[in-house]
Amino acid sequence: MVVVGAGFAGLRTLHTFRERGLDVAVIEANAGLGGVWYVNRYPGARCDVESYDYSLSFDPDLEQEWRWSERYATQPEILRYVEHVADRFDLRRDVHLDTRMTRSTYDEQAHRWHVETDDGDWSARYLVMATGQLSVTKQPQLQGQEDFRGRILHTGAWPHEHVDMTGRRVGVIGTGSSGTQLVPVLAEQASHLTVFQRTPNYSIPANNAPITDEQDAEVKATYPERRERARRSPSGLGFKPNKQSAREVAEDDRRALYEQQWTTAGFGFLLAYYDLMLDERANDTAADFIRAKIAEKVDDPTTAERLMPRGYPFGAKRPPVDSGYFETFNRDDVDLVDMRETPLERITEHGIRTTAGEVELDTIVFATGFDAMTGALLKPEIVGRDGLTLREHWNAGPRTYLGVGVAGFPNLFVIAGPGSPSLLSNVLLSIEAHVDWIAGLLDHAAEQGADEVEASGQAEADWVAHVNERAEATLYPRAASYYMGAEVPGKPQVFMPYVGGVRGYRRVLEKVVADDYDGFRFT
Ligand code: N01
């Protein structure tokens, strides 16, 4: 088996299949382990899922011995955890770093994948794409970029050496999760910070805090129950959905619940009422609450107004989970440029020019995100049956069966791919669920004496239709989000993750197993 990517998905795949006796090689383009956590080193980078949930669950001893220090772990701490896992399970010996897959071709006679890399070729029965959902950065091609005399950085490809921002005038373009995490920390370092905002975001406070020994002991005493709660929850985060509608309750009660969720729940705020992503008027109640919070936090009413998201539902773009983002705009040394009022014209030698004039800068940071969900799958060329490439097969948007298999691409599996809960879930939990499920699938193939496992075209078409139908019944498609492919000009506009929730999706997978892996062909 060749696995592409040595982030959490690739390492978990390596461990699971090596334990089952397969020869597994992981190829990884970066010089180190950790995938997104290896490259997203910008100041302030941390996870927006709680540490105890954003961690591997397959080994109870690992769960007990690792001690998280904060409710939301920082990037360096997560990377230390990845390294620990790699050492503890002796994973490094099968990982080939600095090796990029360039092309893979399925050999229909041999039933094997021929995998080409920039450091030699491999042949494998199974090819597993563990390439992540947010691993190819989106570099905006702004006019005049080459003229800029200062430094340009991207949050998703941050340098490994320390970047000293002391005394520097810094401009940040982009106010998604990365920008929102970066801005408060950069404001402390830079002499002046200018944030260039295109779309305001509904950001939720993280309420981050150190984890005490008592809290740690409490979680570890009941870890299996916590994991099970997560698996049975809609998002894989363990939040119990409220069965009430936001529109059914009295305004005071609703405000009280929002207030409580705002100060405790982080991402779980989105689940305050079951219909926030189903009913526009229910969603408006949460959006209004967040806008009122922004007005409370930001002293200058004009700046507050500019920071208030409008025109798309709360949650339809993934909400950032921040630590002091809005408050940062109360500083004298931080400015907000609203690019809807004063659009960016070009990068100049000395900074950024908008229709309101030039802002002089020493450093520009692109916090402009990723070619999400399909970027890393389409970057190399993957050639399936009859010479069909994955890019051709997906020219109108990604098509998968269950987010795992692709018709016409036998023995190819995607971990947490488009068509599965993926970015709408606690991704770590979804990764582990997929790896274990694929293990069962390959056991079944072995029992059948099959050399080839392939999703059928019909099963794929039915699943794609189901994924779209479920998404259409929600408010998710109503924003120009990366879930929709809207972040990259020219990308097909199709809602990519499965909105049916972790619990609902698990039931689908169980049913497919009960029906002898219905939808897959074993030959
Ligand atoms: O990227 P984004 P991100 N000119 O795509 C703007 C995960 N993550 O890196 O909204 C000007 O969300 C763009 O504007 P608009 C998490 O899942 C997790 O912040 O398109 N602006 C937007 O404001 C997250 O959701 C953690 O109008 C341009 C921003 O750049 C995902 O990664 C931490 C532009 C991009 O926002 C992506 O987050 C960080 C242009 N040409 C990230 N192009 C955790 O905590 C883009 N923008 C785990």
Side-chain angles (χ1 to χ4, degrees):
M1 173 181 284
V2 166
V3 179
V4 187
F8 278 115
L11 295 178
R12 174 66 153 84
T13 307
L14 166 60
H15 175 67
T16 299
F17 285 94
R18 204 171 63 183
E19 290 281 292
R20 302 167 86 86
L22 261 68
D23 274 343
V24 186
V26 178
I27 55 181
E28 166 59 59
N30 291 323
L33 308 174
V36 290
W37 297 109
Y38 183 76
V39 290
N40 282 268
R41 295 167 176 259
Y42 58 88
R46 62 173 75 239
C47 191
D48 57 7
V49 172
E50 289 194 39
S51 310
Y52 289 113
D53 302 308
Y54 195 85
S55 59
L56 293 162
S57 67
F58 69 89
D59 187 285
D61 293 338
L62 172 67
E63 279 178 339
Q64 292 298 322
E65 75 202 15
W66 186 261
R67 172 68 162 91
W68 292 107
S69 67
E70 289 178 79
R71 182 177 180 199
Y72 296 98
T74 59
Q75 175 269 339
E77 187 167 9
I78 297 174
L79 204 55
R80 280 200 299 281
Y81 175 72
V82 171
E83 303 270 341
H84 171 74
V85 170
D87 290 332
R88 195 180 186 297
F89 298 99
D90 189 21
L91 301 178
R92 290 179 200 273
R93 67 185 155 93
D94 288 317
V95 180
H96 304 264
L97 298 173
D98 286 317
T99 308
R100 179 177 290 281
M101 178 177 105
T102 49
R103 181 183 161 92
S104 282
T105 315
Y106 188 65
D107 180 334
E108 294 185 49
Q109 263 70 50
H111 312 296
R112 293 178 77 82
W113 282 94
H114 179 69
V115 181
E116 295 170 46
T117 79
D118 55 8
D119 188 32
D121 296 356
W122 298 81
S123 169
R125 167 125 310 152
Y126 300 115
L127 177 62
V128 177
M129 296 301 286
T131 41
Q133 299 74 26
L134 298 161
S135 37
V136 173
T137 56
K138 198 185 79 167
Q139 304 281 350
Q141 304 299 326
L142 301 174
Q143 204 196 339
Q145 230 166 276
E146 57 296 337
D147 298 339
F148 184 56
R149 292 234 193 119
R151 193 168 186 193
I152 297 182
L153 301 167
H154 193 294
T155 48
W158 200 260
H160 282 234
E161 73 278 3
H162 174 67
V163 181
D164 188 6
M165 296 284 190
T166 323
R168 307 195 79 75
R169 297 162 302 171
V170 183
V172 174
I173 298 181
T175 52
S177 294
S178 303
T180 305
Q181 288 183 341
L182 173 79
V183 160
V185 183
L186 269 193
E188 294 285 328
Q189 301 170 359
S191 63
H192 194 276
L193 182 66
T194 309
V195 179
F196 295 84
Q197 170 192 268
R198 190 163 71 179
T199 309
N201 241 315
Y202 296 96
S203 189
I204 311 290
N207 304 302
N208 187 33
I211 293 168
T212 63
D213 286 342
E214 292 71 34
Q215 287 166 333
D216 186 59
E218 206 178 300
V219 172
K220 285 176 175 168
T222 55
Y223 224 147
E225 290 84 340
R226 185 180 178 112
R227 297 293 196 185
E228 198 45 36
R229 246 191 340 268
R231 287 186 198 106
R232 289 179 187 283
S233 67
S235 54
L237 297 166
F239 298 114
K240 211 166 167 197
N242 182 350
K243 294 206 171 103
Q244 278 182 312
S245 158
R247 292 171 58 194
E248 268 168 23
V249 292
E251 201 180 328
D252 284 353
D253 294 343
R254 191 169 58 223
R255 196 171 314 116
L257 180 67
Y258 281 151
E259 209 49 77
Q260 186 221 330
Q261 296 286 92
W262 185 256
T263 48
T264 55
F267 205 77
F269 185 86
L270 198 51
L271 296 167
Y273 292 101
Y274 86 88
D275 54 354
L276 293 187
M277 288 313 295
L278 297 175
D279 178 324
E280 211 165 325
R281 283 201 279 160
N283 191 284
D284 284 344
T285 64
D288 287 344
F289 178 88
I290 297 173
R291 284 189 285 265
K293 282 289 175 197
I294 296 171
E296 263 173 39
K297 286 172 187 240
V298 180
D299 299 341
D300 173 40
T302 310
T303 306
E305 185 57 38
R306 288 184 176 130
L307 287 165
M308 287 181 198
R310 295 186 192 279
Y312 69 94
F314 161 58
K317 279 171 180 262
R318 184 178 163 113
V321 177
D322 73 276
S323 297
Y325 174 67
F326 293 116
E327 294 84 342
T328 304
F329 293 94
N330 294 333
R331 296 174 65 120
D332 293 336
D333 52 3
V334 175
D335 289 330
L336 177 70
V337 172
D338 185 338
M339 290 195 285
R340 296 164 307 176
E341 284 172 20
T342 53
L344 190 152
E345 284 187 339
R346 60 172 294 138
I347 310 275
T348 64
E349 221 176 299
H350 301 294
I352 293 179
R353 200 168 70 212
T354 71
T355 52
E358 188 176 27
V359 180
E360 292 202 355
L361 301 166
D362 302 304
T363 307
I364 297 173
V365 178
F366 291 151
T368 46
F370 304 88
D371 179 353
M373 301 205 70
T374 53
L377 293 167
L378 295 178
K379 203 171 173 186
E381 189 169 56
I382 301 183
V383 188
R385 266 189 212 292
D386 304 321
L388 184 75
T389 65
L390 193 62
R391 185 170 282 281
E392 288 162 345
H393 186 53
W394 285 7
N395 67 2
R399 303 177 63 75
T400 67
Y401 178 40
L402 305 170
V404 174
V406 185
F409 296 79
N411 293 352
L412 171 83
F413 304 106
V414 183
I415 307 290
S420 72
S422 179
L423 289 178
L424 287 179
S425 69
N426 171 2
V427 175
L428 225 59
L429 181 149
S430 288
I431 285 170
E432 293 202 88
H434 264 181
V435 175
D436 292 335
W437 197 81
I438 294 167
L441 178 72
L442 297 193
D443 283 351
H444 187 76
E447 283 159 22
Q448 313 288 308
D451 293 326
E452 221 169 62
V453 184
E454 182 182 357
S456 77
Q458 189 59 52
E460 183 183 89
D462 292 348
W463 182 250
V464 171
H466 176 64
V467 169
N468 286 323
E469 196 186 314
R470 291 296 303 259
E472 284 305 322
T474 72
L475 302 179
Y476 279 107
R478 304 224 192 144
S481 71
Y482 63 69
Y483 299 139
M484 283 296 292
E487 80 290 9
V488 176
K491 195 167 166 173
Q493 305 272 304
V494 179
F495 195 82
M496 294 185 280
Y498 180 54
V499 299
V502 163
R503 186 179 42 180
Y505 178 73
R506 188 165 93 149
R507 287 202 198 112
V508 173
L509 291 185
E510 283 169 358
K511 167 104 176 45
V512 171
V513 175
D515 294 344
D516 289 335
Y517 293 92
D518 188 29
F520 284 95
R521 268 198 304 261
F522 300 87
T523 44

